[in-house]
């Protein structure tokens, strides 16, 4: 069967895996509120407004929400319309990854990488939520594909290189600095594989990085040049600055140990300790091991073996030409010299491929291990390099010495056995099944190679695939039959249900947030909804609500509210003076103070709380902590 038919079949399988039952999924309530606002008004669309009133943005750049809002504009506001872009993006990554890896390491490695990516549990889980990471990974894979198309040369090579840089810039507008971490790897590959002198190649790599920066920062510059009175407040900032939101709150603020809520720009403070303790073992811990780590040992082994083989080949090379060979010298060389030059180019491309995928894996692996805290779905960024390197590793081992493939199977199955013990009560049979498949594979492989019997070879291949892929397949399959719930849409994980901030050291704070999220999943108190609708009296806002997460539930119930403090409740939007002005001008009368906060410990948040309790009176029957809700309703008239 030709490649096109096989890739089409594999893509169809991926579409089933990523899209099965997605229409039953629940969308992330915070992001969905923004998508609904952006899909209904072009001004809100352009500026990424969280609420229909255009008061405040989300605490992320709007790239992913632009895509989702366009889907909503096309199909109407439905959960499946919000989720559809993620399903399509995850599916498209499969043929793109196949083609990209094939250009580097051959068709068999491409197939292995595409299959590994399809069965990565965290990738399957993310395809059913509207969390931005799925689209970020897609744009990064598109950028990688364009880069390797450029490496193959041709008349349009320059355009492919420019496209690669532009797609990385688009990925930045989806998830900010997380996408930019890999830019040195892409630019370094541009340097290694480029033609010309060393300085010419260095200039090309610098131009590549400059184009990435230009595309990345274009929207930020546009927003900065827009007067603050004509756009929403930028969440995640103290000074209404998109630069603070991107590079402090979502950048350097995620590294360190700030206490939750003490610093409004400490974006990672609320995540402190999430995902397990910081260190090299974080992605192998209970929170992330089942999501991404199954093939990491095989990927690392393949990377090490590939670089070692490339180093040995370079030492043995007798080529007289280096990477700065000019076209004139190449044209004048004899056939033997051309053959040696071609061999050097192939070897250089192979080495560059290992450095490219290995650099991608290493940079994100170290970043996740060093961060204050991570959600387990962050590790989806590792899925493309893990799939590529693991796929190449198994193909190379199958073609290598007799002991290599059995050793790789033993390593992969051994880690699957250990990783399964991180969640001992979830599918306890799985680790023994994988171990049994590995024993069968290791026993059959030598005989299959010696006998050259096709039937025996096929059985051994099935045993190898089972030993390597059974564990991630079972974890990925757990998502297919899971009914949508709020925690699933927020935590986005496969396997056993995870706490949103699982692994935090501060268990008390984590339990408080988890309790708030469970209350949030049940929605706002219907009595409060009826009260606010009945007493709105034509005001633009039925109430000011404490925090964007709480505001999202009211917006979903078609109650227009003003979200105070943004996602963490800590942003000075509005200030005490601003809130008083809104009350004085009749835009706001009621304030809903929620027990569900991600932060709420900043000076601005405490000042608002003090003003509300000092200048407003609680409404009987809606006092904080009474009835079926932890929210309190205050009348500030």
């Amino acid at each position: 069967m030709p490649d096109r038919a096989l890739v089409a079949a594999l893509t169809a399988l991926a579409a089933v895996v990523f899209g099965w039952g997605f229409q039953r999924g629940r969308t992330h309530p915070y992001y969905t509120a923004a998508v609904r606002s952006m899909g209904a008004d072009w001004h809100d669309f352009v500026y990424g407004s969280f609420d229909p009133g255009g008061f405040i943005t989300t605490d992320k750049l709007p790239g992913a929400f632009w895509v989702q809002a366009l889907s909503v504009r096309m199909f109407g506001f439905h959960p499946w319309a919000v989720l559809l872009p993620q399903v399509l993006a995850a599916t498209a990554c499969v043929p793109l990854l196949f083609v990209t890896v094939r250009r580097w390491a051959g068709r068999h490695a491409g197939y292995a990488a595409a299959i590994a990516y399809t069965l990565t549990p965290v990738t399957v889980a993310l395809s059913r939520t509207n969390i931005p990471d799925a689209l970020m990974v897609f744009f990064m894979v598109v950028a990688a594909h364009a880069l390797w198309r450029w490496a193959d040369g041709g008349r349009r090579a320059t355009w492919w290189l420019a496209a690669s840089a532009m797609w990385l810039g688009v990925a930045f507008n989806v998830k900010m600095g997380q996408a930019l971490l890999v830019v040195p790897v892409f630019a370094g590959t541009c340097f290694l594989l480029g033609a010309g002198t060393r300085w010419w190649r260095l200039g090309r790599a610098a131009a590549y990085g400059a184009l990435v920066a230009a595309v990345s920062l274009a929207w930020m510059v546009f927003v900065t040049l827009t007067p603050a009175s004509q756009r929403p407040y930028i969440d995640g900032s103290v000074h209404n600055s998109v630069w603070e939101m991107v590079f402090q709150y979502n950048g350097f603020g995620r590294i360190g140990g700030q206490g939750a809520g003490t610093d409004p720009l400490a974006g990672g403070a609320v995540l402190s300790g999430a995902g397990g303790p910081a260190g090299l073992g974080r992605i192998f811990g209970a929170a992330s091991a089942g999501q991404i780590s199954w093939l990491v040992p095989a990927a690392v082994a393949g990377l090490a073996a590939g670089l070692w083989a490339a180093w040995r080949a370079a030492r043995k090379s007798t080529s007289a030409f280096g990477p700065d060979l000019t076209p004139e010298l190449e044209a004048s060389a004899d056939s033997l010299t051309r053959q040696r030059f071609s061999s050097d180019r192939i070897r250089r491309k192979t080495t560059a491929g290992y450095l490219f995928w290995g650099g991608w894996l290493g940079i994100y692996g170290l970043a996740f291990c060093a961060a204050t805290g991570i959600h387990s779905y962050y590790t989806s960024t590792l899925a493309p390099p893990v799939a590529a390197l693991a796929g190449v590793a198994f193909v190379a081992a199958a073609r290598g010495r007799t002991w290599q493939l059995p050793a790789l199977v033993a390593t992969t199955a051994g880690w699957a056995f250990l990783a399964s013990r991180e969640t001992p009560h979830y599918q306890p049979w799985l680790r023994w099944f994988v171990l049994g498949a590995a024993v069968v594979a290791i026993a059959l492989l030598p005989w299959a190679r010696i006998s050259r019997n096709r039937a025996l070879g096929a059985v051994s291949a099935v045993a190898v695939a089972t030993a390597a892929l059974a564990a991630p397949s079972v974890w990925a399959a757990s998502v297919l039959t899971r009914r949508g719930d709020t925690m699933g849409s927020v935590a986005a994980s496969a396997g056993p249900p995870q706490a949103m901030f699982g692994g935090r050291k501060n268990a008390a704070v984590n339990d408080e947030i988890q309790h708030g999220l469970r209350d949030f999943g049940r929605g706002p108190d219907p009595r409060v909804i009826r009260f606010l609708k009945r007493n709105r009296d034509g005001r633009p806002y039925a109430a000011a609500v404490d925090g964007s997460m709480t505001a999202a539930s009211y917006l979903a119930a078609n109650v227009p509210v003003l979200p105070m403090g943004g996602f963490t409740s800590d942003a000075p939007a509005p200030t005490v003076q601003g809130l008083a002005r809104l009350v004085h001008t009749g835009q706001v009368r009621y304030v809903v103070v929620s027990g569900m906060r991600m932060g709420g410990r900043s000076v601005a948040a405490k000042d608002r709380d003090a003003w509300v309790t000092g200048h407003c009176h609680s409404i009987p029957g809606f006092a904080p902590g009474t009835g079926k809700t932890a929210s309190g309703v205050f009348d500030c008239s």
Side-chain angles (χ1 to χ4, degrees):
M1 185 181 294
D3 280 345
R4 288 188 178 181
L6 283 174
V7 172
L10 187 56
T11 303
L13 174 63
V16 172
V17 172
F18 294 132
W20 184 270
F22 84 99
Q23 72 277 5
R24 298 194 304 268
R26 286 280 295 271
T27 59
H28 192 296
Y30 173 66
Y31 297 138
T32 302
V35 171
R36 190 170 192 169
S37 300
M38 293 166 63
D41 182 87
W42 284 115
H43 182 272
D44 291 344
F45 178 91
V46 170
Y47 290 102
S49 176
F50 166 77
D51 62 295
F55 178 74
I56 196 169
T57 68
T58 65
D59 63 348
K60 302 289 187 294
L61 289 181
F65 314 131
W66 283 334
V67 179
Q68 295 161 14
L70 288 175
S71 177
V72 166
R73 276 192 169 268
M74 291 176 61
F75 302 111
F77 184 80
H78 309 285
W80 65 263
V82 178
L83 297 176
L84 181 62
Q86 286 68 243
V87 175
L88 296 178
T91 303
C93 282
V94 173
L96 284 171
L97 193 61
F98 165 79
V99 174
T100 305
V101 175
R102 183 187 63 180
R103 290 178 179 277
W104 164 51
R107 61 195 296 268
H108 293 98
Y111 284 124
I115 293 171
Y117 184 87
T118 302
L119 298 178
T120 301
V122 68
T123 302
V124 179
L126 270 176
S127 69
R128 284 162 172 73
T129 72
N130 56 323
I131 293 173
D133 295 59
L135 286 168
M136 177 193 66
V137 172
F138 166 71
F139 290 125
M140 292 172 68
V141 172
V142 173
H145 169 68
L147 184 66
W148 284 93
R149 285 292 299 265
W150 162 79
D152 282 346
R155 291 187 304 167
R156 296 184 176 87
T158 302
W159 291 106
W160 282 112
L161 187 63
S164 175
M166 292 176 64
W167 285 119
L168 269 188
V170 173
F172 171 85
N173 281 280
V174 172
K175 202 69 189 296
M176 299 160 295
Q178 188 172 340
L180 284 191
L181 287 177
V182 82
V183 172
V185 175
F186 278 67
T189 304
C190 176
F191 173 81
L192 289 174
L193 295 180
T197 65
R198 182 173 301 170
W199 288 106
W200 182 257
R201 289 184 284 123
L202 186 62
R204 184 188 292 113
Y208 180 92
L211 182 55
V212 173
V215 176
S216 298
L217 303 179
W219 184 81
M220 295 175 63
V221 171
F222 166 74
V223 170
T224 302
L225 295 176
T226 303
S229 60
Q230 298 178 20
R231 60 169 174 79
Y233 185 94
I234 304 299
D235 193 9
S237 73
V238 173
H239 302 98
N240 198 5
S241 167
V242 69
W243 306 91
E244 281 186 355
M245 182 263 280
V246 170
F247 294 111
Q248 178 58 30
Y249 174 84
N250 283 301
F252 297 109
R254 295 185 179 271
I255 302 175
Q258 303 100 324
T262 59
D263 180 0
L265 295 184
V270 72
L271 280 176
S272 182
L280 294 177
R282 175 177 273 167
I283 62 173
F284 298 103
S288 298
Q291 310 303 320
I292 190 64
S293 76
W294 305 105
L295 295 177
V296 169
V300 173
L303 174 63
L307 291 177
W308 171 255
W311 179 76
R312 291 187 62 186
R315 287 194 63 185
K316 294 178 180 179
S317 175
T318 58
S319 173
F321 299 109
D324 296 337
L325 184 70
T326 64
E328 291 78 9
L329 287 175
E330 182 182 355
S332 64
D334 58 24
S335 60
L336 179 60
T337 304
R338 290 197 194 97
Q339 184 178 0
R340 288 178 175 176
F341 173 71
S342 177
S343 177
D344 284 344
R345 285 182 62 87
I346 293 173
R347 186 159 44 246
R348 189 172 64 177
K349 187 174 181 180
T350 301
T351 304
Y354 280 112
L355 293 175
F356 175 79
W357 296 111
W360 185 336
L361 175 62
I363 283 179
Y364 284 105
L366 291 175
F368 295 149
C369 290
T372 300
I374 64 169
H375 291 304
S376 60
Y377 61 75
Y378 289 1
T379 59
S380 61
T381 321
L382 300 173
V386 168
L389 290 170
V392 170
F394 274 95
V395 171
R399 295 170 176 170
R401 298 183 179 180
T402 306
W403 59 270
Q404 289 179 333
L405 187 54
L408 190 61
V409 170
T411 300
T412 304
W415 169 244
F417 184 87
L418 295 175
S420 297
R421 296 180 65 183
E422 294 286 343
T423 51
H425 302 296
Y426 179 73
Q427 309 292 6
W429 58 270
L430 180 59
R431 58 180 178 270
W432 300 107
F433 178 79
V434 171
L435 197 62
V439 170
V440 172
I442 293 171
L444 290 177
L445 282 171
W447 295 106
R449 176 167 290 199
I450 294 172
S451 66
R452 298 183 180 276
N453 183 281
R454 288 189 176 183
L456 186 58
V459 172
S460 64
V462 170
V464 168
T466 302
L469 299 175
S473 298
V474 169
W475 277 62
S478 69
V479 184
L480 305 185
T481 56
R482 182 182 297 168
R483 298 192 66 84
D485 59 0
T486 299
M487 282 307 303
S489 68
V490 172
S493 60
Q498 284 194 15
M500 183 180 180
F501 301 99
R504 286 175 59 117
K505 295 179 181 179
N506 193 334
V509 175
N510 188 45
D511 289 343
E512 178 185 345
I513 294 176
Q514 294 301 131
H515 179 74
L517 284 171
R518 285 193 292 270
D519 289 344
F520 176 78
R522 289 192 288 267
D525 189 335
R527 298 181 305 125
V528 176
I529 294 292
R530 289 194 297 269
F531 175 84
L532 293 178
K533 286 184 175 180
R534 186 170 58 248
N535 294 279
R536 181 182 173 187
D537 296 332
R539 283 180 290 271
Y541 300 106
V545 177
D546 190 29
S548 292
M549 278 292 283
T550 303
S553 62
Y554 287 88
L555 294 174
N558 292 315
V559 179
V561 295
L562 184 146
M564 297 190 301
F567 180 74
T568 64
S569 304
D570 286 312
T575 60
V576 168
Q577 295 79 9
L579 179 58
R581 186 164 52 252
L582 288 167
V583 171
H584 179 71
T585 57
Q587 298 181 69
V588 171
R589 176 178 177 179
Y590 301 103
V591 174
V592 178
V593 178
S594 171
M596 192 274 181
R597 288 184 174 184
M598 297 298 173
R601 295 171 176 82
S602 69
V603 173
K606 291 178 180 178
D607 286 347
R608 278 195 303 268
D609 289 346
W611 187 89
V612 170
T613 56
H615 292 77
C616 312
H617 62 274
S618 61
I619 298 176
F622 298 107
T626 63
K628 298 181 180 180
T629 177
S631 299
V633 183
F634 291 81
D635 186 349
C636 299
S637 61

